[in-house]
Amino acid sequence: MNDQTKIEEAGFVPASRIAAIGVSKILQIGARASARKKEGLPVIILGAGEPDFDTPDNVKAAAKAAIDKGDTKYTALDGTPELKKAISEKFRRENGVDYAIDEVTVATGAKQILFNAFMATVNPGDEVIIPTPYWTSYSDIVEICGGVPVLIPCDAEAGFRLKAEQLEKAITPKTRWVLFNSPSNPSGAAYSEADYRPLLDVLLRHPHVWLMVDDMYEHIVYDGFKFVTPVAIEPRLKSRALTINGVSKAYAMTGWRIGYAGGPKALIKAMAVIQSQATSCPSSVSQAASVEALNGPQDFLKDRQASFKHRRDLVVSALNAIPGLACRTPEGAFYTFSGCAGMIGKTTPKGKRIEADSDFTDYLLEDANVAVVPGSAFGLSPYFRISYATSEAELTEALKRIAEACARLS
Ligand SMILES: Cc1ncc(COP(=O)(O)O)c(C=O)c1O
């Protein structure tokens, strides 16, 4: 039972646009894990979607200065001129893409950028192609906006990446968008220029399809992987592409709620119409902080990357040492998405048969007090996601418990 059913029981009928959408599985697992923790059980939660670092001091200082200066009022609808300038410069400096100030928009997190974009463009029945596994919000937002998510499975053998033939086959006259997320939440897989090229060629042949890219984890890549954004590879797609990014993950600013995007002027204007009736503008103080995040020193990113890489290696090798699990080494982000096909069909010490990845993750929570998220929450089974944005000590203990719990299955 999710919260929505509880609401209905109390005599409240929600609008049909959210009827099919339950409370996120990730939040449900988080709630169960927290409840067990409150009972005094030693639960380790490997579900966090945010870095365990602090927001840099120079960014905090910029926010404090903004408050003292009186930057505490409504700002321009979709971003202050200072922040839009910093974003435009960031796109040029880091991505080699020219977005003019009026081709940039700022919102309350990249999540609101996605919302604004789909609300502004998707008509009932319009299709949005989403490679799977996908960040859960994508399909829910598309559905709330009346669209149809077209989910294309991309398994570990495919490197969790969409192939050109799959994209070509999925495109119909109703396709409005295709959405790429590299590096990906939940798989950590990333598209190199060579991976993107054939996909962009397909899009060149289908001018009615728009390209949305979520580059949120751009700064968290390993082993010299060269991050690239599609519009930099194929500028001919720029007039029908939305390049989304934000400060949440790179600068450990999830609570500040600032996301941004570059796109064609007409789309940016349409997105502002939605925002004008939703939030009026992003937080003034957070925007001032984000100017400093983008314009200030960037050298700390390397250290954080190294720390995440160390933890990635620890998790991947521990998972691959467990018979029945198979974990691909991710190129970026702070998640592993490990296959657990070898656990399906096994029986727990309490006699319960593991039929699906969600049974396996339930077992890990109940038997080993480790909370991870099943692949089914991201549209691809049988897998499970670990977020390694937590201390090395907790990761080591959690992986020891997972190994022991797996050994207890028969
Ligand atoms: C792939 C991806 N895109 C976007 C977001 C949203 O970020 P924001 O905090 O800017 O809303 C997340 C957050 O988990 C994410 O994983």
Side-chain angles (χ1 to χ4, degrees):
M1 191 169 77
N2 60 32
D3 287 355
Q4 200 175 300
T5 6
K6 277 187 220 150
I7 291 168
E8 282 180 28
E9 275 173 13
F12 176 83
V13 181
S16 54
R17 78 174 66 85
I18 63 156
I21 298 162
V23 175
S24 139
K25 269 192 206 154
I26 303 178
L27 295 184
Q28 287 179 41
I29 290 162
R32 275 176 58 204
S34 304
R36 289 175 72 85
K37 220 170 182 174
K38 265 200 195 133
E39 285 168 26
L41 295 165
V43 180
I44 300 177
I45 302 177
L46 303 181
E50 56 190 352
D52 57 337
F53 299 112
D54 199 6
T55 301
D57 286 342
N58 61 315
V59 174
K60 289 185 191 172
K64 288 175 198 161
I67 293 172
D68 291 341
K69 230 170 63 192
D71 281 352
T72 52
K73 306 285 168 60
Y74 292 130
T75 71
L77 169 56
D78 68 347
T80 61
E82 295 77 19
L83 182 52
K84 286 191 173 190
K85 182 166 175 282
I87 292 166
S88 170
E89 286 168 2
K90 176 260 180 265
F91 276 131
R92 198 165 306 126
R93 182 180 67 240
E94 295 184 349
N95 306 116
V97 178
D98 269 316
Y99 281 119
I101 303 290
D102 57 4
E103 292 176 312
V104 167
T105 184
V106 184
T108 303
K111 192 178 259 185
Q112 195 190 14
I113 293 280
L114 287 153
F115 228 102
N116 290 345
F118 287 130
M119 281 294 269
T121 57
V122 167
N123 283 315
D126 282 355
E127 295 171 1
V128 178
I129 297 173
I130 305 174
T132 302
Y134 56 85
W135 182 44
T136 43
S137 291
Y138 295 151
S139 63
D140 285 350
I141 296 174
V142 168
E143 283 189 44
I144 288 173
C145 296
V148 179
V150 177
L151 308 174
I152 315 285
C154 308
D155 61 15
E157 277 83 71
F160 299 120
R161 287 185 282 257
L162 189 69
K163 294 254 184 310
E165 314 83 79
Q166 289 176 296
L167 177 59
E168 186 82 61
K169 241 172 94 182
I171 291 174
T172 74
K174 286 192 164 174
T175 307
R176 187 74 216 248
W177 292 97
V178 57
L179 171 49
F180 291 114
N181 170 214
S182 165
S184 150
N185 175 6
S187 72
Y191 290 78
S192 67
E193 179 165 353
D195 296 321
Y196 266 135
R197 185 69 257 177
L199 294 158
L200 304 183
D201 288 339
V202 172
L203 292 180
L204 286 174
R205 291 198 293 278
H206 297 276
H208 72 289
V209 180
W210 282 53
L211 167 65
M212 194 180 293
V213 294
D214 179 344
D215 292 343
M216 181 56 73
Y217 293 91
E218 157 177 21
H219 287 295
I220 309 173
V221 289
Y222 313 115
D223 307 324
F225 180 87
K226 198 173 170 315
F227 172 87
V228 63
T229 198
V231 169
I233 303 170
E234 184 42 85
R236 282 177 292 175
L237 290 172
K238 184 166 175 258
S239 59
R240 51 182 166 113
L242 186 69
T243 304
I244 301 174
N245 212 317
V247 295
S248 284
K249 315 286 172 167
Y251 303 98
M253 291 176 69
T254 46
W256 299 77
R257 309 306 305 125
I258 295 292
Y260 58 85
K265 221 165 27 180
L267 170 62
I268 295 298
K269 266 193 188 161
M271 288 167 65
V273 171
I274 303 297
Q275 181 148 303
S276 71
Q277 301 308 342
T279 53
S280 296
C281 65
S283 147
S284 58
V285 176
S286 296
Q287 289 188 75
S290 300
V291 171
E292 175 61 20
L294 295 175
N295 288 348
Q298 305 290 311
D299 38 316
F300 69 96
L301 292 172
K302 282 260 164 309
D303 297 339
R304 293 186 174 188
Q305 227 177 48
S307 160
F308 276 135
K309 179 190 150 39
H310 180 71
R311 289 180 272 174
R312 178 202 66 168
D313 291 345
L314 184 154
V315 173
V316 171
S317 67
L319 286 171
N320 282 326
I322 300 172
L325 299 184
C327 185
R328 176 185 179 274
T329 303
E331 289 86 6
F334 39 74
Y335 309 103
T336 58
F337 199 64
S338 178
C340 56
M343 300 300 160
I344 309 296
K346 292 200 170 185
T347 306
T348 71
K350 284 187 181 155
K352 189 171 183 285
R353 205 177 124 86
I354 295 187
E355 310 274 6
D357 52 17
S358 54
D359 295 333
F360 178 60
T361 57
D362 282 352
Y363 168 66
L364 291 182
L365 181 57
E366 280 151 28
D367 186 273
N369 280 308
V370 177
V372 298
V373 187
S376 52
F378 308 100
L380 195 72
S381 293
Y383 292 91
F384 65 102
R385 188 191 78 171
I386 283 180
S387 162
Y388 50 87
T390 190
S391 74
E392 199 175 322
E394 274 210 318
L395 287 172
T396 307
E397 171 62 20
L399 285 151
K400 181 171 147 275
R401 290 193 207 167
I402 292 175
E404 288 165 358
C406 289
R408 282 193 290 274
L409 292 171
S410 53

